[in-house]
């Protein structure tokens, strides 16, 4: 069972500082949960093990990863009792195995159920990886949920992601037993929607999602769009005036498509709407764009929702390229607060400048961008140059390996110099030469903190080691190129590598996370001293593996030379003997412990700095 929220389905709307790792409630709210102490006036003074006050413990918990939070809760029974509201605030069951184990435990422990505010249940989950997901009877899952709903009085978010929509009894129970429930997510499979479903009886929801499940068997290249039940539209348009987050989308667009033309009417208006996901859009059998049917009305719908911050328009161009232009009739001042856009470049390019200037996160992975759409007037780079606030970019490219792409890579980096996160995905062969070319231009992004690479996997060549790929990225970014600084990316903290292969579960062969460990000197320069490695995947023989280790084979300059750029040792990449299953070596436990202690110390320092700044402000005001 995981206490970590899914980024795509379960999200916390509470605004917290960007450096916080967990989207949890504020300290004051946490301390209002019952049974944390006998008296409200004593809870701040009740110390935990080692003399640490309980309020500091709660504050620290908000800075920790969920795995570190779990480790902290296991230090003593008293600490665990205090942290139960934090541990079970968000429960995400990402597999059939997790559903069976966790729901059985929650049935036996009704006292824990009262802490759950967000619950995501995903039996037979298509993204279970690298281990294959076992089949689970979803009626059993519903029966177990019916037994525990009466104890989940604080539940405000429920997310169902199964093979089919759950039995209608569950919606009745959730509506009657969970008075705070305002967010409902569900998916559908092959079975048609029941027009009389109790799902459509909710009122005053603030978030609603109805999606067609991923990975349904393709039955039609051009499926007819499915009209949604009238009671669904009545619920959304008449009974939920405070809607903030709406999703009506299909992730199996060759099986089922949802008709959303009712949004192109005057009655579709939610003044507080800030997040919208629609699609998949694509071609009809006559190769005309299928939806929405009235471009002007759809543009008017988007233009009147001025609070929109997140807009995702999913497109289905798996077999054919998208058209050169996609109409989107927007007013010149439309979408002034848009901060995240997910879609295709053609619609991004026609957004008004106020919307382009406010976008911070951009995802262009709905379809691969071909070489002819990269450069020149109207190309991707010219559009990116108009996004002055862009800090996070996801790109999916289809480019020939044998060509020199230095011009494009340089233009890409120069178009968005403020990037802190870059995900580069390529479906063509992406060997050593284009990899080194891309990595050599990364120093043009001085604020880059996370770099991710997804590419197709080959059993021969450079794909023998993910670590080798990471080291090449780190080394190439320090070499001097024409017009490029020789300084490495000083803010780079993490490199992620993903190998895709069509016949693997979830099309993923292997993935790795590589945390860059730096030594900072007094003159604010840094050198790379190690890489903390976490890898998992499937071997050529189909065996699942997971390994953690620390790679230390870096040359470390003397402190007298600390002002020189950080470099990586040019010795032969080392395959550590300590790399093994993540549950068998003491070295792995000690390494994980060092990382956890480091994060714990960092959290304490942040709290101390915050408290110190508060004391300074108080002294000045006095």
């Amino acid at each position: 069972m995981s206490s970590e929220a899914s980024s795509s389905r379960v999200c916390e709307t509470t605004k917290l500082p960007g450096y916080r790792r967990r989207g949890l409630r504020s300290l004051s709210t946490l301390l209002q949960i019952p049974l944390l102490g006998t008296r409200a006036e004593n809870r701040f003074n009740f110390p935990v093990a080692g003399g640490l006050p309980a309020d500091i413990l709660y504050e620290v918990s908000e800075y920790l990863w969920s795995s570190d939070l779990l480790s902290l809760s296991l230090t003593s029974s008293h600490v665990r009792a205090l942290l139960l509201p934090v541990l079970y605030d968000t429960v995400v069951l990402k597999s059939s195995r997790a559903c069976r184990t966790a729901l059985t435990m929650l049935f036996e422990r009704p006292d824990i159920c009262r802490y759950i505010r967000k619950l995501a249940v995903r039996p037979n989950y298509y993204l279970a990886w690298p281990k294959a997901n076992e089949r689970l009877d979803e009626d059993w899952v519903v029966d177990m949920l019916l037994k525990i709903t009466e104890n989940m009085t604080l539940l405000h978010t429920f997310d169902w992601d199964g093979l089919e929509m759950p039995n209608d009894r569950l919606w009745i129970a959730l509506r009657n037993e969970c008075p705070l429930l305002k967010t409902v997510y569900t998916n559908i499979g092959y079975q048609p929607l029941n027009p009389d479903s109790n799902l459509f009886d909710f009122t005053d929801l603030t978030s609603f999602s109805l999606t067609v499940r991923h990975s349904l068997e393709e039955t039609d290249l051009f499926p007819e769009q499915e009209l949604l039940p009238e009671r669904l539209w009545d619920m959304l348009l008449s009974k939920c005036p405070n809607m903030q987050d709406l999703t009506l989308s299909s992730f199996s667009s060759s099986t089922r498509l949802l008709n959303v033309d009712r949004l192109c009417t005057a009655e579709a208006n939610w003044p507080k709407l800030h997040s919208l996901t629609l699609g998949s859009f694509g071609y009809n059998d006559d190769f005309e764009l299928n939806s929405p049917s009235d471009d002007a009305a759809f543009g008017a719908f988007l233009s009147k929702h001025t609070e929109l911050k997140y807009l995702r328009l999913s497109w289905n161009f798996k077999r054919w390229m998208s058209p050169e232009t996609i109409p989107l009739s927007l007013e010149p001042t439309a979408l002034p607060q848009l901060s995240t856009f997910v879609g295709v470049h053609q619609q991004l390019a026609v957004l008004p400048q106020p919307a382009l200037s406010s976008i911070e996160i951009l995802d262009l992975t709905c379809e691969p961008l071909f070489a002819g759409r990269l450069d020149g007037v109207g190309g991707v780079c010219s559009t990116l140059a108009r996004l002055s606030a862009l800090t996070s970019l996801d790109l999916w490219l289809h480019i020939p390996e044998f060509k020199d792409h230095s011009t494009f890579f340089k233009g890409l980096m120069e178009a968005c110099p403020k990037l802190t996160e870059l995900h580069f995905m390529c479906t063509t062969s992406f060997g050593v030469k284009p990899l080194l070319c891309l990595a050599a231009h990364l120093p043009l992004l001085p604020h880059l903190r996370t770099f991710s690479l997804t590419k197709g996997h080959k059993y021969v060549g450079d794909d023998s080691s993910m670590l080798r790929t990471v080291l090449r990225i780190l080394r190439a970014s320090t070499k001097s190129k024409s017009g490029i600084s020789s300084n490495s990316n000083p803010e780079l903290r993490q490199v992620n590598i993903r190998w895709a292969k069509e016949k693997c579960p979830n099309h993923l062969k292997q993935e790795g996370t590589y945390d860059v460990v730096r030594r900072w000197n007094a003159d604010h320069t840094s050198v790379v001293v190690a890489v903390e490695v976490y890898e998992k995947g499937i071997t050529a023989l189909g065996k699942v593996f997971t390994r953690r280790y620390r790679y230390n084979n870096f040359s470390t300059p003397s402190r007298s030379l600390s002002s020189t750029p950080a470099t990586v040792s040019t010795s032969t990449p080392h395959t550590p003997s300590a790399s093994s299953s993540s549950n068998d070596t003491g070295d792995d436990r000690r390494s994980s412990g060092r990382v956890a202690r480091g994060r714990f110390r960092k959290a304490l320092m942040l709290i101390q700095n915050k408290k110190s700044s508060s004391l300074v402000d108080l002294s000045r005001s006095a």
Side-chain angles (χ1 to χ4, degrees):
M1 183 182 63
S2 170
S3 61
E4 184 177 352
S6 166
S7 60
S8 62
R9 298 290 297 273
V10 180
C11 60
E12 176 61 70
T13 57
T14 304
K15 301 243 178 165
L16 289 173
Y19 53 76
R20 295 215 172 177
R21 300 294 190 189
R22 297 174 51 82
L24 299 176
R25 302 176 308 283
S26 65
L27 174 63
S28 59
T29 306
L30 278 174
L31 293 176
Q32 291 172 7
I33 294 177
L35 301 182
L36 293 184
T38 55
R39 292 192 173 190
E41 62 271 16
N42 292 332
R43 59 192 174 200
F44 288 107
N45 300 320
F46 193 79
V48 297
L52 186 68
D55 61 331
I56 300 298
L57 178 68
Y58 288 125
E59 189 77 5
V60 168
S61 69
E62 295 199 14
Y63 291 85
L64 298 179
W65 294 103
S66 47
S67 58
D68 297 330
L69 182 63
L70 178 61
S71 299
L72 178 61
S73 71
L74 296 177
T75 56
S76 74
S77 58
H78 179 63
V79 170
R80 179 170 178 79
L82 288 173
L83 291 180
L84 278 177
V86 185
L87 282 169
Y88 291 97
D89 173 270
T90 300
V91 175
V92 181
L93 309 180
K94 295 183 179 180
S95 67
S96 297
R97 186 179 298 105
C99 288
R100 179 180 292 108
T101 303
L103 293 177
T104 301
M105 181 274 293
L106 292 174
F107 172 69
E108 296 171 350
R109 293 288 306 275
D111 57 306
I112 290 180
C113 294
R114 70 170 180 265
Y115 300 125
I116 300 176
R117 295 174 180 262
K118 302 178 191 175
L119 176 62
V121 183
R122 297 173 183 166
N124 306 304
Y125 192 38
Y126 76 102
L127 281 179
W129 180 88
K131 294 183 178 180
N133 202 5
E134 59 189 47
R135 189 63 175 238
L136 181 62
D137 182 0
E138 295 185 359
D139 285 336
W140 178 88
V141 177
V142 171
D143 290 338
M144 294 300 293
L145 288 171
L146 291 174
K147 295 176 182 178
I148 65 175
T149 49
E150 64 178 355
N151 298 311
M152 295 191 293
T153 55
L154 295 181
L155 187 71
H156 64 69
T157 297
F158 179 76
D159 180 357
W160 173 271
D161 194 347
L163 294 175
E164 299 287 349
M165 183 185 289
N167 187 287
D168 220 36
R169 295 176 298 155
L170 181 59
W171 304 125
I172 299 175
L174 288 171
R175 195 173 67 250
N176 294 334
E177 304 293 346
C178 306
L180 301 182
L181 187 62
K182 297 296 181 182
T183 296
V184 176
Y185 300 148
T186 186
N187 66 343
I188 55 179
Y190 295 104
Q191 296 180 5
L193 270 171
N194 176 12
D196 298 319
S197 172
N198 283 281
L199 172 65
F200 312 139
D201 289 333
F202 283 95
T203 60
D204 201 26
L205 294 177
T206 58
S207 297
F208 179 79
S209 172
L210 178 67
T211 60
V212 177
R213 180 181 171 85
H214 285 265
S215 305
L216 297 185
E217 183 179 353
E218 296 186 357
T219 57
D220 192 345
L221 289 179
F222 305 103
E224 185 177 352
Q225 292 189 40
E226 179 179 340
L227 293 175
L228 296 174
E230 187 62 31
R231 291 185 62 243
L232 168 62
W233 287 116
D234 181 61
M235 178 188 73
L236 295 177
L237 300 177
S238 303
K239 300 178 181 178
C240 301
N242 297 312
M243 185 67 66
Q244 301 176 19
D245 177 4
L246 177 62
T247 296
L248 298 171
S249 183
S250 172
F251 297 109
S252 293
S253 51
S254 294
T255 306
R256 299 180 74 171
L257 287 177
L258 306 180
N259 188 302
V260 296
D261 282 349
R262 283 290 296 274
L263 296 178
C264 302
T265 60
E267 59 182 333
N269 185 26
W270 297 279
K272 297 180 181 180
L273 189 68
H274 62 69
S275 177
L276 177 66
T277 298
L278 300 175
S280 282
F281 304 137
Y283 292 115
N284 290 321
D285 54 4
D286 58 359
F287 284 92
E288 293 292 330
L289 293 180
N290 59 17
S291 183
S293 58
D294 189 333
D295 298 320
F298 183 60
F301 168 78
L302 294 177
S303 297
K304 67 184 178 183
H305 287 90
T306 57
E307 297 297 315
L308 272 176
K309 297 179 174 62
Y310 178 97
L311 177 61
R312 177 175 179 175
L313 302 175
S314 300
W315 291 86
N316 176 31
F317 297 119
K318 293 180 179 179
R319 289 179 172 83
W320 304 278
M321 286 183 61
S322 59
E324 291 293 331
T325 59
I326 296 178
L328 186 62
S329 303
L330 292 173
E331 296 179 2
T333 58
L335 306 175
Q337 300 190 52
L338 188 66
S339 60
T340 301
F341 179 80
V342 183
V344 292
H345 170 250
Q346 296 91 311
Q347 283 200 318
L348 173 71
V350 298
L351 292 180
Q353 189 57 45
L356 292 175
S357 299
S358 64
I359 292 177
E360 300 176 2
I361 301 173
L362 175 63
D363 187 336
L364 297 178
T365 59
C366 286
E367 70 163 344
L369 291 163
F370 289 81
R373 295 182 174 180
L374 300 180
D375 303 316
V377 179
V380 173
C381 292
S382 62
T383 303
L384 292 177
R386 300 167 60 192
L387 277 62
S388 56
L390 187 65
T391 59
S392 178
L393 174 64
D394 289 64
L395 273 180
W396 180 8
L397 268 64
H398 185 95
I399 55 178
E401 182 180 9
F402 54 84
K403 289 188 176 181
D404 182 7
H405 302 290
S406 297
T407 301
F408 166 69
F409 287 140
K410 183 178 180 181
L412 174 65
M413 308 305 173
E414 290 179 342
C416 39
K418 297 181 181 179
L419 285 184
T420 60
E421 298 182 13
L422 173 61
H423 175 207
F424 186 87
M425 183 165 65
C426 188
T427 47
T428 52
S429 179
F430 199 74
V432 176
K433 184 177 179 180
L435 173 66
L436 294 179
C437 182
L438 171 62
H441 289 81
L442 289 180
L444 291 173
L445 303 176
H447 307 291
L448 188 67
R449 296 181 63 87
T450 303
F451 173 70
S452 302
L453 172 66
T454 300
K455 72 182 192 68
H457 172 67
K458 297 185 297 183
Y459 284 104
V460 295
D462 193 55
D463 284 359
S464 58
S465 168
M466 281 187 141
L467 178 63
R468 181 180 293 115
T469 301
V470 174
L471 295 179
R472 281 182 170 169
I473 292 172
L474 293 176
R475 289 171 182 152
S477 65
T478 66
K479 295 180 180 179
S480 179
K481 295 286 183 180
S482 177
I484 300 178
S485 170
S486 61
N487 291 325
S488 64
N489 298 85
E491 300 295 328
L492 188 61
R493 294 292 182 272
Q494 189 178 89
V495 178
N496 301 294
I497 307 293
R498 293 165 61 91
W499 286 343
K501 193 171 182 64
E502 185 176 1
K503 294 184 179 180
C504 288
N506 193 27
H507 301 300
L508 195 59
K509 172 71 175 177
Q510 184 174 331
E511 69 175 0
T513 299
Y514 304 84
D515 292 317
V516 181
V517 181
R518 295 177 179 271
R519 190 192 71 197
W520 289 90
N521 300 314
D523 57 356
H524 303 293
T525 60
S526 69
V527 291
V528 178
V529 296
V531 176
E532 297 281 356
V533 179
Y534 173 65
E535 297 173 336
K536 65 179 180 179
I538 307 170
T539 66
L541 299 178
K543 184 179 180 181
V544 173
F545 70 88
T546 302
R547 55 183 173 236
R548 295 179 185 268
Y549 58 90
R550 180 183 176 100
Y551 178 83
N552 294 304
N553 197 12
F554 287 90
S555 60
T556 306
S558 63
R559 294 190 178 276
S560 62
L561 300 177
S562 60
S563 60
T564 61
T567 59
V568 182
S569 170
T570 57
S571 60
T572 303
H574 171 58
T575 304
S577 58
S579 66
S580 58
S581 175
S582 62
N583 57 1
D584 58 359
T585 65
D587 290 340
D588 173 61
R589 290 191 293 270
R590 288 191 292 271
S591 176
S592 300
R594 285 194 297 270
V595 174
R597 288 193 296 272
R599 292 174 181 159
F600 186 80
R601 287 194 297 270
K602 183 178 180 181
L604 287 175
M605 291 174 62
L606 288 171
I607 296 172
Q608 184 178 5
N609 292 337
K610 186 171 71 172
K611 289 182 176 295
S612 299
S613 61
S614 300
L615 290 175
V616 170
D617 293 339
L618 287 173
S619 63
R620 288 177 179 175
S621 62

